[in-house]
Amino acid sequence: FVTGKELISHDIRSNKFNYKHSFSVEIVPICKDHIVCLPQKTAQQMGSISPLCVVTRVTQTIHVIDPCTLQWAEMSGAQYWRQPFLALASPKQLIEYMVMEIELVPERDRPLRPRMSTK
């Protein structure tokens, strides 16, 4: 947060001064409803939340939620600037849809998929 003050004019007779004030702030490039991928270290510091999250609110802190577990966490501006990250997708890039019907597949009928290693 940087401030500046510049004298615009002053009146000698009335001893009035007119100043122009400037403020410079750096705002995080994350907005509500953005999908983000948190750095692994940051996700662990925030209570081992999943790295893939949705931003629910941006105030003095960034509020995120894991859409799979509904676990939520908060991150201060200082935490963000220590390990900054960008949004993967914005709301304009997403498509809203409604699931009309689901069909459960029994465990025995599911195809085998290799598990991802967590290194």
Side-chain angles (χ1 to χ4, degrees), residues 48-66:
S48 296
I49 192 168
S50 171
L52 190 63
C53 295
V54 177
V55 178
T56 58
R57 186 169 30 158
V58 179
T59 57
Q60 292 180 350
T61 59
I62 300 169
H63 303 257
V64 296
I65 189 167
D66 176 2

Side-chain angles (χ1 to χ4, degrees), residues 70-100:
L70 300 181
Q71 180 184 0
W72 61 273
E74 296 179 359
M75 174 187 305
S76 70
Q79 282 178 302
Y80 174 82
W81 291 116
R82 274 194 293 264
Q83 288 190 307
F85 53 89
L86 296 175
L88 296 177
S90 70
K92 290 182 180 182
Q93 297 171 307
L94 304 176
I95 298 171
E96 185 175 343
Y97 66 92
M98 183 182 300
V99 177
M100 301 298 285

